[in-house]
Amino acid sequence: MAHLLDEQGVLHTADPRGMMALTLDFPSQYERAVAIALEWRLPALPREPRLVVVSGMGGSGIGGDYLRALFEALGNLPVLVVRDYHLPHCADDHTLLFAVSYSGNTEETLACYAEARARNAMVVAISSGGELQARAQMEGIPHLQVPSGQPPRTALGYLLLPMVVLCERWHLLPNLEQARIRTLQRLVQGRDHWGISTPYEQNPAKQLASALHGKLPLLYGSGSYRAIVATRWKGQFNENAKQHAFANTFPELNHNEILGWVGAKQQAKNFAVVALRDPDESIQTRTRIEVTRQLVGDAADWHEVWAEGESLLERLLTLTYLGDFVSLYLAYLNGVDPYTIDYIDRLKAELAKLMNRE
Ligand code: PA5
């Protein structure tokens, strides 16, 4: 008998608004995003940036973390990601600020945009439209428009690649063209390996989702950029599969969360660890993971997924892409529509009422 995730018509019932189609389109989106950024009329930076700040929330903020990972490995500037209404005190006229909101209407991002303008920071706005676009156009601020019409969390290509390519074009990052080409090839391979038409027996994304079904996933990044990817997996599990998942990272979790495993057996029977790993981990990290696995023991299932590729960009995005598929299969198994985000919509509506009253 076919596995549930291989059944004919599974998308029709489990995914009526086409999140799988959007996810399968990700490699093409990535290509379009690079093209948009390469063609965009690049404004000259009036001053030398000393700090890069990315302001964005949820699906629009995570791209800032990915940019930070690239700068940490390859650039010479600090990057801060602000997920709040206010910029840090140090943000000034030598700050390059990316205000990123897929809808263009997120109030925290609009507030940071306004603060950055007041401090004469060098601002670039990225959105598919909305208030952010309207304000940027009215105020003569560079605005990069990305295609609209999909949930922000499926638009990571549009929300990340422009920042990367613009930083390359400003020589704030080295030229990543070769890495970008290889990343695209890997994403295409990932799509074919993890997509819905690859049967369960050959599909690690379907297998991992089945193993996690009914469990509480603890997503452990093995340090560095895997901490960020673990956070992305968590967000995708939350928003697509409508379930809790928690993310942490080595080595930090060896200094606190590791003690939680002492009482884990009494707390819950359904934990599952997914360790997000990299082939070049240090001996210290490998040892930490091995000892942690022994300490977790039979208190939880333990799964490992490995980043692949030569460059950081390949490893970042392929590990991310696998998590996107796992989250969709989990949504199907949980019997929830991965597209809807009712609670987020409700919160935004309540906050909008508050703004209108002021
Ligand atoms: O995935 C989502 O829909 C959310 O996390 C949004 O990205 C978040 O609420 C911010 O909205 P926007 O991306 O439109 O700025």
Side-chain angles (χ1 to χ4, degrees):
M1 205 172 98
H3 189 274
L4 193 66
L5 294 172
D6 291 342
E7 275 176 12
Q8 284 268 325
V10 63
L11 291 186
H12 183 68
T13 43
D15 189 6
R17 282 175 252 201
M19 286 291 276
M20 177 57 70
L22 288 168
T23 304
L24 292 171
D25 182 59
F26 184 66
S28 308
Q29 176 195 131
Y30 171 99
E31 244 185 319
R32 289 192 294 273
V34 170
I36 290 170
L38 287 173
E39 282 158 21
W40 194 63
R41 184 128 72 90
L42 190 76
L45 293 176
R47 289 168 294 283
E48 186 110 335
R50 293 183 194 141
L51 170 68
V52 178
V53 176
V54 180
S55 156
M57 304 302 298
S60 292
I62 193 82
D65 291 324
Y66 285 59
L67 185 73
R68 176 168 61 80
L70 289 169
F71 265 88
E72 280 173 7
L74 307 167
N76 294 317
L77 289 175
V79 177
L80 296 178
V81 184
V82 177
R83 294 179 164 88
D84 209 330
Y85 290 87
H86 296 290
L87 297 178
H89 184 253
C90 63
D92 61 11
D93 62 346
H94 280 273
T95 295
L96 169 63
L97 180 114
F98 288 108
V100 186
S101 167
Y102 186 68
S103 64
N105 293 322
T106 296
E107 60 180 43
E108 297 93 323
T109 313
L110 290 169
C112 287
Y113 167 89
E115 263 188 21
R117 295 276 296 121
R119 295 192 206 173
N120 205 22
M122 297 168 276
V123 178
V124 173
I126 298 177
S127 77
S128 64
E131 179 72 18
L132 187 59
Q133 180 180 35
R135 283 196 206 173
Q137 283 177 349
M138 202 167 62
E139 297 169 6
I141 294 299
H143 176 265
L144 186 146
Q145 183 169 11
V146 296
S148 62
Q150 60 190 82
R153 61 193 179 282
T154 66
L156 181 63
Y158 291 143
L159 299 168
L160 168 65
L161 268 302
M163 290 192 289
V164 174
V165 172
L166 298 191
C167 287
E168 286 178 53
R169 292 180 66 194
W170 278 313
H171 304 291
L172 302 177
L173 281 175
N175 186 302
L176 297 173
E177 188 183 0
Q178 288 311 312
R180 283 194 268 105
I181 292 169
R182 284 198 306 269
T183 302
L184 176 61
Q185 290 162 350
R186 289 218 175 248
L187 290 174
V188 169
Q189 284 166 8
R191 179 190 66 197
D192 297 343
H193 197 190
W194 304 321
I196 188 75
S197 48
T198 302
Y200 178 86
E201 294 303 331
Q202 284 104 56
N203 190 326
K206 287 183 179 177
Q207 290 166 12
L208 183 55
S210 287
L212 295 179
H213 183 220
K215 306 268 179 177
L216 179 65
L218 301 173
L219 308 164
Y220 286 174
S222 64
S224 176
Y225 71 90
R226 278 85 68 201
I228 297 169
V229 180
T231 305
R232 162 76 179 189
W233 278 50
K234 171 191 159 16
Q236 295 294 80
F237 282 25
N238 297 150
E239 291 189 58
N240 290 340
K242 321 293 187 271
Q243 66 167 75
H244 269 307
F246 296 94
N248 209 330
T249 183
F250 291 97
E252 176 63 14
L253 74 88
N254 283 163
H255 296 269
N256 35 59
E257 182 160 328
I258 190 70
L259 270 308
W261 289 104
V262 175
K265 283 189 194 127
Q266 285 71 46
Q267 281 183 306
K269 290 195 175 60
N270 280 328
F271 290 130
V273 173
V274 184
L276 308 186
R277 306 202 56 180
D278 182 277
D280 294 333
E281 283 157 4
S282 65
I283 180 72
Q284 290 95 331
T285 298
R286 274 187 275 141
T287 306
R288 283 179 183 283
I289 294 171
E290 199 38 55
V291 177
T292 301
R293 184 176 185 160
Q294 289 163 16
L295 293 171
V296 169
D298 60 5
D301 300 341
W302 184 282
H303 308 273
E304 303 209 335
V305 290
W306 291 80
E308 289 174 16
E310 295 301 308
S311 66
L312 174 59
L313 192 65
E314 283 167 82
R315 292 183 184 189
L316 258 175
L317 288 185
T318 51
L319 203 52
T320 298
Y321 199 29
L322 171 61
D324 289 356
F325 281 108
V326 175
S327 72
L328 288 187
Y329 295 131
L330 260 180
Y332 304 162
L333 294 169
N334 287 346
V336 294
D337 180 350
Y339 191 98
T340 56
I341 46 166
D342 298 351
Y343 289 5
I344 297 178
D345 293 340
R346 161 103 183 264
L347 275 157
K348 286 188 179 180
E350 291 297 328
L351 268 294
K353 282 188 215 158
L354 198 68
M355 294 293 283
N356 293 338
R357 277 209 295 272
E358 278 174 1

